[in-house]
Each structure stands twice: as structure tokens, then as C-alpha cells.
Amino acid sequence: MKSTALAYLFIISFGLTNSLKAEPWVDTSNLYLKANIQLLADTGHITTPVTTYPLMWHDIARDLKDIDIRKLSKAEENAYLKVSHQLKLATNNRTSTKVNTAIKDSRFTSFGDSYRAKNSIQIQSSIVTDNFALKISPSYTQSAVDGDEIRLDESYLMASIGNWVVSFGKQDRWFGPTWDTSLSLTNNARPMPALAISRKSAEPFTLPFTELDIPWTITSFMGKMDDNRIIEDTLLWGFRFNFKPLKNLEIGITRLAQWGGKGHSQTLDTFWDILLGKTNCGVNGLICDENSSNPANQQAGYDIRYSMIIFDIPVSFYGQNYAEDGDNNNTFSIGTKPEFQAGLDMHISLLDIPTTAYFEYSQSFGDCGVRDNIGDCFYEHGTYQTGMRYNGRTISHLYDNDTRTYVLGTISQLDSDTNISSKFRYLMLNRDNHDKAPGNPIIGNPLTSIAEDIVMLSTSVQHIYKNWRFIIDGEISHSTFENDIDDETDINVSLMIEYNL
């Protein structure tokens, strides 16, 4: 803690000698900004890959300068103005205070959601210079489920070196082209402390013997899972490679690996084996028995987003294939036992209101072959038994393992100051009606230990007035259970108030 504080002070003292620049990235807190950026990308005005968050401002700012506003449609012009406004805000040193109150904690946290825990207060202050950025974001949460009432979530310090950005802090991340959830990495769980490196600009490479320029970017991080878990201080390595072989086609490749931790190897040799995929039992001659353990819990996958114009409407199809990393059959495959997600979105005018509408389907029932029709496999692991979870929430799919989900959503911008988003969800949670470790808070499905079907309708309204921002969220859900349990109807309402100094 002391070293981190000293690092913060160093960045402040050094950074004040430089001229101010834009905050380095777009985070996961603004769903409406994501929708506007995606519209400009789908229509070819933004050429950089945009399905990895935090998303660098650098290339977006460059592409905005090249846009001729006279050639834009009404929807594109609206998106251009909104993104330009957010970029302008990012150039300023800012201090804000947020207060949130709700009936209860949020069960799921998706892109742009304003809270996880009820009754919290947060102060954010950022300083941005030529080559450095600092954001300090202390908060207090009443009756925190994980016991951390005082937090530094969303705090970071950053240094730019050439075309690379190195950062340390607690940042939310989102890997994939989706809106509601992602099988790989989301902001559902609280951010963990991590050291990260990312390419600042997706400067293209030219395909040999062609004139085809392909923008590409890479981000990688090493995080510490310092929560209550079976293997304390487990490390999480994340990697994301994005490229656009065509203006309307974006491809992403993701890898995640849990390794190290108390009592487990954290050597460079072990990490090299992880990079090569040599840490899965039964793969490349690795044998695990009762006297040895798997040195890593790996997952990997790829996602694709393809955009087109149909009857003057920007429409995109996207999908994700995500699996246990490594190929047990020694064939050319990125993983075994893959699960998938598919979606469709379009940017339309709904009653003359710019709207992004989407439909998503996801499946996370991984059959490990131990018992018929029993999953308890995806996001789980024999050695790292807490699995891909942090502080009681999966770091990936909002709805954890053994699920099937259908989500229909809209993201609308009523005017320059008011936005509204809505979702209708049909969720089939824990479809095998089985849990790996019932009653154990750090092993198994943290959402529900039994099968639960949920119909949920949620709406969020955001309004900005001068230096104030107000967000009102409301949701109603109805749950039915396979076991002999009465149906449940649940209502939650929250209010977030932010003031920018």
C-alpha cells in the first residue's frame, strides 16, 4: 500500500510539468458512448478495433478529425457529436462525487451499469498529462458482501512509452463485441489489482504482396486475485488480440489463465508453459494424478463481428466461441468443450429517436463427462477450485455456468441530455440443477445452487443537467424453480447522483 501511494505521488509531481492531454481510454461505465462509437465503427468512420475495453482514445480522436460531418446521416452526425463531446470531457482534469442508493445489491452487473452494491459513495479525481495519467477513486460501501467497505476500484496510474501504454490499478475490463454479457471477460465482478500493457495506436500492418492494411491492437494484464479463495493470491493472466482485416469485419482472440498463488509455482518456466498451452492435463504429455496438480486453469476463444448496411440501416452479426484452453485430441483447435454466444444488433430510428437494438443468445453448459447431464464444468477447475470468480462473482459470463440466456435490449438517446436503455431477459440458470459444492461460498456457482428460470425486465434512465448526472434504474423479475420451491417476484430500484466539480 505504501509503495502504491508513493507511486501516485511520483506521478502527480512529474505529471504536473507536462501539458494536458486526453484521458487515455474509454472505460466500461458509459453504455451510450459505446453505442455511439460502435455506430461510427459499423459505418466505417472509425477504423480502429473497438471490442476491447478499456478502449484507447488515441485512434478514435484521430478518426474523428478525418470525418466530414456534411457527409454523415442524421444518426451518424448525432453519434459523431456525442463521441466528440465525451472526448472533450476526457481532456480535462476532473473531480466528481457519486452517491448511489438502492433497495438491494445488483445481482448482475453489465456494461454501463451504475452500481454493484447498494448505498455507496465515491470520489473520483483524475490528472492527465502528455505521457502520464492518474485516477484516484476511493469509495465507501455500506455492508459490503465481500467485507471491503473501503475500496479503490477504478483507480489507476498510467505511463505512455512510444506506442505502448503501461498501467497499474483496478480497472474494469470487457472483452468481446457483446452488449449484455460475454463468455470471456466482463465487468460483472469487482476489478482486481493488475499490471497491464496495451498498444496505444492500432497502427496497421500491410499484408505481404497486397495493399491491404490491417489495424491491430494487443492488450495483456497480470492480475492478483486477492479475495477469499481456496488458493490464496492466485494470479490471473489476460490477453486480447484484435484486428480488422476489413473495415466491416473485426476479429478478437482472448486467453485467460489462472496460475501461481500460495503453494504453486510462479516461475518464468511455468508461465512459458502457459503461453505454449502446456498446462492442461492430458495435453502434450502432461499427466496429473493424486500426487500432482494442474499448474494452470486456462480458457481461450475467439469472437467475430461483421457489419453491413441493409436498407440504409447499419446491421451487425457477431458471435463468440470460448472454451477450455488446449486441445485434448491433438488436432488443430483453439480449445476443448467450447461454449458459444451469438448476437444481432442494428442502429435504427425508433419514433425518430436514435436507438441501438440488439438480441443475444448465450450458452455455458459445459459437460465434463463425469455424470450424465451434469455440468459444473465451465469456469470451474480441479486445482483452482474457486474458479474464474472474484469476490463471489464470475469475472466472465454474468450468469455463470450451466446457463442458457436470451436477451433483447435497446439503447436510446432521447435528446442531448437524456438517455434510456431497457432489457428483457429470459435466463435459464444452473440448468443441471446441481452445484459443485452446495453451501460453500467460495466453490461452485455463486448465483444459485439449484435450477432457476428468470423473466426480467429492467430500465435505466440517465439525465444530465449542467454539472449533475442522475441515473434511475428499475427492474422487476419473476423466478421459478425446478425444485419444490415457491415462485419469487423481485423488485429493485436504485438512484445514482453524480456531481462534477
Side-chain angles (χ1 to χ4, degrees):
M1 191 69 180
K2 290 181 179 179
S3 60
T4 301
L6 289 173
Y8 283 157
L9 291 175
F10 170 77
I11 294 297
I12 292 174
S13 60
F14 189 93
L16 288 177
T17 65
N18 295 274
S19 59
L20 296 179
K21 299 294 182 182
E23 191 170 354
W25 39 57
V26 181
D27 60 26
T28 66
S29 66
N30 194 331
L31 180 65
Y32 308 103
L33 177 57
K34 172 181 165 70
N36 285 319
I37 290 174
Q38 192 64 68
L39 170 57
L40 294 177
D42 291 343
T43 52
H45 300 294
I46 288 179
T47 60
T48 190
V50 295
T51 61
T52 302
Y53 284 79
L55 173 64
M56 290 294 167
W57 268 120
H58 184 277
D59 287 349
I60 295 174
R62 177 206 62 204
D63 289 343
L64 290 177
K65 291 180 180 178
D66 293 337
I67 293 176
D68 185 348
I69 193 171
R70 297 169 298 178
K71 297 181 180 180
L72 300 180
S73 67
K74 183 178 179 181
E76 293 165 5
E77 180 181 349
N78 175 74
Y80 167 82
L81 294 174
K82 293 291 182 65
V83 176
S84 298
H85 177 67
Q86 291 297 321
L87 174 60
K88 183 179 179 180
L89 292 178
T91 64
N92 299 324
N93 292 341
R94 303 177 66 191
T95 299
S96 65
T97 301
K98 296 181 182 178
V99 178
N100 181 85
T101 184
I103 296 176
K104 58 184 67 177
D105 293 345
S106 173
R107 194 174 184 187
F108 317 112
T109 301
S110 184
F111 198 107
D113 285 351
S114 60
Y115 74 103
R116 294 184 183 93
K118 64 178 182 179
N119 303 334
S120 63
I121 183 170
Q122 181 180 44
I123 298 174
Q124 295 184 333
S125 184
S126 60
I127 296 176
V128 186
T129 70
D130 271 337
N131 299 311
F132 295 89
L134 165 69
K135 184 176 183 180
I136 302 179
S137 183
S139 65
Y140 172 78
T141 299
Q142 186 184 40
S143 304
V145 174
D146 54 21
D148 292 336
E149 294 186 341
I150 299 177
R151 305 173 175 181
L152 281 173
D153 295 359
E154 301 175 47
S155 301
Y156 66 81
L157 55 89
M158 180 279 293
S160 176
I161 306 171
N163 195 34
W164 295 95
V165 171
V166 180
S167 64
F168 175 77
K170 291 189 170 186
Q171 294 177 266
D172 286 318
R173 304 178 192 277
W174 188 283
F175 288 179
T178 51
W179 300 95
D180 176 67
T181 187
S182 175
L183 294 178
S184 55
L185 189 61
T186 69
N187 62 336
N188 182 50
R190 287 179 53 206
M192 67 189 71
L195 179 66
I197 184 169
S198 302
R199 204 164 185 248
K200 182 169 67 174
S201 174
E203 294 177 357
F205 71 87
T206 302
L207 199 64
F209 308 110
T210 74
E211 295 182 355
L212 182 62
D213 290 333
I214 302 178
W216 63 281
T217 187
I218 282 180
T219 186
S220 185
F221 68 88
M222 189 70 73
K224 182 178 180 181
M225 307 184 89
D226 55 355
D227 57 338
N228 182 25
R229 54 196 312 111
I230 296 298
I231 298 179
E232 297 178 7
D233 296 330
T234 294
L235 299 178
L236 178 71
W237 172 61
F239 173 85
R240 174 83 170 165
F241 172 50
N242 265 111
F243 63 99
K244 296 185 74 171
L246 303 172
K247 276 193 173 183
N248 60 340
L249 174 64
E250 181 170 347
I251 299 173
I253 298 173
T254 299
R255 289 185 66 188
L256 294 177
Q258 290 177 303
W259 70 295
K262 188 174 181 180
H264 292 261
S265 173
Q266 296 182 181
T267 65
L268 288 177
D269 287 342
T270 300
F271 185 65
W272 180 249
D273 287 341
I274 291 173
L275 292 176
L276 298 179
K278 293 183 178 181
T279 59
N280 291 317
C281 297
V283 179
N284 295 315
L286 179 63
I287 299 175
C288 305
D289 53 31
E290 63 275 7
N291 298 316
S292 62
S293 61
N294 194 322
N297 174 25
Q298 295 205 58
Q299 291 187 319
Y302 61 90
D303 52 79
I304 298 174
R305 180 182 178 89
Y306 184 78
S307 305
M308 65 190 75
I309 305 297
I310 302 178
F311 299 117
D312 295 327
I313 297 175
V315 178
S316 296
F317 299 90
Y318 53 90
Q320 184 178 42
N321 188 282
Y322 198 64
E324 296 295 318
D325 192 20
D327 180 13
N328 291 341
N329 298 318
N330 291 318
T331 59
F332 185 75
S333 173
I334 196 171
T336 60
K337 299 187 286 290
E339 303 302 330
F340 68 94
Q341 183 175 13
L344 160 72
D345 65 36
M346 59 185 68
H347 306 282
I348 58 178
S349 179
L350 191 62
L351 300 177
D352 207 31
I353 298 171
T355 298
T356 298
Y358 63 88
F359 174 77
E360 292 182 359
Y361 168 84
S362 68
Q363 156 77 25
S364 66
F365 188 98
D367 185 358
C368 291
V370 178
R371 293 172 57 187
D372 290 342
N373 300 318
I374 296 296
D376 300 342
C377 180
F378 220 59
Y379 307 126
E380 306 283 7
H381 197 253
T383 302
Y384 291 88
Q385 296 181 58
T386 307
M388 290 288 183
R389 303 180 181 100
Y390 183 67
N391 282 314
R393 289 190 178 208
T394 175
I395 63 173
S396 304
H397 195 29
L398 272 61
Y399 314 111
D400 216 277
N401 58 24
D402 303 336
T403 69
R404 180 178 293 164
T405 68
Y406 306 84
V407 180
L408 178 65
T410 58
I411 307 164
S412 301
Q413 302 177 60
L414 303 183
D415 56 42
S416 59
D417 298 318
T418 308
N419 304 309
I420 182 170
S421 61
S422 299
K423 289 181 187 179
F424 175 79
R425 296 164 166 155
Y426 176 49
L427 313 173
M428 303 168 67
L429 306 182
N430 203 359
R431 291 173 52 221
D432 63 351
N433 198 31
H434 189 270
D435 188 40
K436 184 177 180 180
N440 190 321
I442 59 174
I443 300 179
N445 193 315
L447 281 175
T448 176
S449 61
I450 60 176
E452 177 183 0
D453 288 358
I454 303 177
V455 177
M456 176 183 290
L457 178 63
S458 58
T459 298
S460 176
V461 180
Q462 172 184 276
H463 180 70
I464 297 174
Y465 176 73
K466 295 184 178 180
N467 291 353
W468 295 88
R469 183 164 69 111
F470 305 90
I471 298 178
I472 299 176
D473 293 325
E475 67 180 32
I476 181 170
S477 63
H478 183 74
S479 297
T480 57
F481 303 90
E482 185 173 318
N483 296 7
D484 188 18
I485 299 175
D486 292 338
D487 295 358
E488 292 182 359
T489 298
D490 197 22
I491 297 175
N492 197 12
V493 178
S494 72
L495 171 65
M496 193 279 285
I497 301 175
E498 177 182 8
Y499 180 73
N500 290 287
L501 302 178

